mmCIF file of all heavy atoms in Angstrom:
data_model
loop_
_atom_site.group_PDB
_atom_site.id
_atom_site.type_symbol
_atom_site.label_atom_id
_atom_site.label_comp_id
_atom_site.label_asym_id
_atom_site.label_seq_id
_atom_site.Cartn_x
_atom_site.Cartn_y
_atom_site.Cartn_z
ATOM 1 N N VAL M 21 -2.257 29.478 25.451
ATOM 2 C CA VAL M 21 -2.428 28.814 26.746
ATOM 3 C C VAL M 21 -1.057 28.458 27.268
ATOM 4 O O VAL M 21 -0.580 27.330 27.217
ATOM 5 C CB VAL M 21 -3.275 27.507 26.581
ATOM 6 C CG1 VAL M 21 -3.726 27.016 27.955
ATOM 7 C CG2 VAL M 21 -4.445 27.707 25.694
ATOM 8 N N ASP M 45 -0.242 17.408 17.897
ATOM 9 C CA ASP M 45 1.014 17.878 17.365
ATOM 10 C C ASP M 45 0.875 18.108 15.866
ATOM 11 O O ASP M 45 -0.173 17.852 15.280
ATOM 12 C CB ASP M 45 2.165 16.921 17.706
ATOM 13 C CG ASP M 45 1.926 15.473 17.208
ATOM 14 O OD1 ASP M 45 1.098 15.265 16.294
ATOM 15 O OD2 ASP M 45 2.562 14.551 17.737
ATOM 16 N N GLU M 48 -0.048 15.072 13.694
ATOM 17 C CA GLU M 48 -1.494 14.773 13.763
ATOM 18 C C GLU M 48 -2.319 15.794 13.002
ATOM 19 O O GLU M 48 -3.332 15.452 12.357
ATOM 20 C CB GLU M 48 -1.939 14.713 15.244
ATOM 21 C CG GLU M 48 -3.427 14.541 15.441
ATOM 22 C CD GLU M 48 -3.982 13.220 14.964
ATOM 23 O OE1 GLU M 48 -3.238 12.346 14.482
ATOM 24 O OE2 GLU M 48 -5.233 13.049 15.027
ATOM 25 N N LEU M 59 -12.817 12.244 4.057
ATOM 26 C CA LEU M 59 -14.204 12.090 4.437
ATOM 27 C C LEU M 59 -15.133 12.888 3.537
ATOM 28 O O LEU M 59 -16.274 12.445 3.325
ATOM 29 C CB LEU M 59 -14.378 12.534 5.901
ATOM 30 C CG LEU M 59 -13.738 11.620 6.964
ATOM 31 C CD1 LEU M 59 -13.951 12.183 8.349
ATOM 32 C CD2 LEU M 59 -14.323 10.197 6.859
ATOM 33 N N GLY M 84 -10.120 21.339 15.616
ATOM 34 C CA GLY M 84 -8.783 20.824 15.185
ATOM 35 C C GLY M 84 -8.030 21.868 14.400
ATOM 36 O O GLY M 84 -7.769 22.968 14.873
ATOM 37 N N GLU M 107 -6.861 24.447 21.679
ATOM 38 C CA GLU M 107 -5.747 25.318 21.332
ATOM 39 C C GLU M 107 -5.739 25.577 19.814
ATOM 40 O O GLU M 107 -6.304 24.791 19.069
ATOM 41 C CB GLU M 107 -4.419 24.713 21.743
ATOM 42 C CG GLU M 107 -4.169 23.331 21.192
ATOM 43 C CD GLU M 107 -2.945 22.653 21.813
ATOM 44 O OE1 GLU M 107 -2.987 22.303 22.980
ATOM 45 O OE2 GLU M 107 -1.957 22.466 21.057
ATOM 46 N N VAL M 153 -20.065 9.129 30.263
ATOM 47 C CA VAL M 153 -20.974 9.794 31.246
ATOM 48 C C VAL M 153 -21.125 11.261 30.941
ATOM 49 O O VAL M 153 -22.062 11.911 31.461
ATOM 50 C CB VAL M 153 -20.468 9.582 32.670
ATOM 51 C CG1 VAL M 153 -20.484 8.118 33.056
ATOM 52 C CG2 VAL M 153 -19.114 10.196 32.900
ATOM 53 N N ALA M 198 -8.312 -0.063 26.636
ATOM 54 C CA ALA M 198 -7.796 1.281 26.969
ATOM 55 C C ALA M 198 -8.924 2.276 27.103
ATOM 56 O O ALA M 198 -8.908 3.127 27.979
ATOM 57 C CB ALA M 198 -6.795 1.694 25.886
ATOM 58 N N ILE M 200 -12.130 1.795 27.921
ATOM 59 C CA ILE M 200 -12.897 1.577 29.161
ATOM 60 C C ILE M 200 -12.179 2.182 30.346
ATOM 61 O O ILE M 200 -12.793 2.794 31.227
ATOM 62 C CB ILE M 200 -13.150 0.071 29.371
ATOM 63 C CG1 ILE M 200 -14.175 -0.432 28.354
ATOM 64 C CG2 ILE M 200 -13.631 -0.211 30.795
ATOM 65 C CD1 ILE M 200 -14.363 -1.929 28.381
ATOM 66 N N SER M 207 -18.954 2.088 21.740
ATOM 67 C CA SER M 207 -20.131 1.376 21.310
ATOM 68 C C SER M 207 -21.407 2.255 21.329
ATOM 69 O O SER M 207 -22.436 1.861 20.823
ATOM 70 C CB SER M 207 -20.352 0.141 22.207
ATOM 71 O OG SER M 207 -20.716 0.494 23.517
ATOM 72 N N LEU M 212 -26.247 7.689 18.029
ATOM 73 C CA LEU M 212 -26.196 9.151 18.052
ATOM 74 C C LEU M 212 -27.585 9.768 17.983
ATOM 75 O O LEU M 212 -27.878 10.778 18.640
ATOM 76 C CB LEU M 212 -25.347 9.676 16.894
ATOM 77 C CG LEU M 212 -23.851 9.345 16.930
ATOM 78 C CD1 LEU M 212 -23.197 9.859 15.629
ATOM 79 C CD2 LEU M 212 -23.172 9.931 18.142
ATOM 80 N N VAL M 233 -12.014 0.037 3.597
ATOM 81 C CA VAL M 233 -10.706 0.237 4.182
ATOM 82 C C VAL M 233 -9.690 -0.528 3.292
ATOM 83 O O VAL M 233 -9.502 -1.720 3.441
ATOM 84 C CB VAL M 233 -10.617 -0.274 5.611
ATOM 85 C CG1 VAL M 233 -9.258 0.086 6.207
ATOM 86 C CG2 VAL M 233 -11.741 0.310 6.460
ATOM 87 N N GLY M 241 -11.271 4.112 -0.879
ATOM 88 C CA GLY M 241 -10.871 3.115 0.083
ATOM 89 C C GLY M 241 -9.390 3.189 0.423
ATOM 90 O O GLY M 241 -8.987 3.011 1.581
ATOM 91 N N LEU M 255 -2.336 6.332 18.070
ATOM 92 C CA LEU M 255 -2.912 5.729 19.277
ATOM 93 C C LEU M 255 -1.898 4.929 20.081
ATOM 94 O O LEU M 255 -2.249 4.371 21.137
ATOM 95 C CB LEU M 255 -4.116 4.862 18.903
ATOM 96 C CG LEU M 255 -5.377 5.587 18.457
ATOM 97 C CD1 LEU M 255 -6.356 4.592 17.892
ATOM 98 C CD2 LEU M 255 -6.000 6.398 19.554
ATOM 99 N N THR M 286 -12.203 -5.313 4.421
ATOM 100 C CA THR M 286 -12.703 -4.692 5.633
ATOM 101 C C THR M 286 -13.466 -3.392 5.345
ATOM 102 O O THR M 286 -13.065 -2.607 4.483
ATOM 103 C CB THR M 286 -11.557 -4.429 6.622
ATOM 104 O OG1 THR M 286 -10.913 -5.687 6.946
ATOM 105 C CG2 THR M 286 -12.032 -3.752 7.878
ATOM 106 N N THR M 287 -14.543 -3.175 6.065
ATOM 107 C CA THR M 287 -15.266 -1.892 6.030
ATOM 108 C C THR M 287 -15.436 -1.389 7.464
ATOM 109 O O THR M 287 -15.359 -2.143 8.422
ATOM 110 C CB THR M 287 -16.654 -2.031 5.369
ATOM 111 O OG1 THR M 287 -17.475 -2.905 6.116
ATOM 112 C CG2 THR M 287 -16.520 -2.504 3.921
#
Side-chain angles (χ1 to χ4, degrees):
V21 194
D45 57 21
E48 174 65 3
L59 290 179
E107 56 189 69
V153 297
I200 289 173
S207 69
L212 294 176
V233 186
L255 288 171
T286 299
T287 62

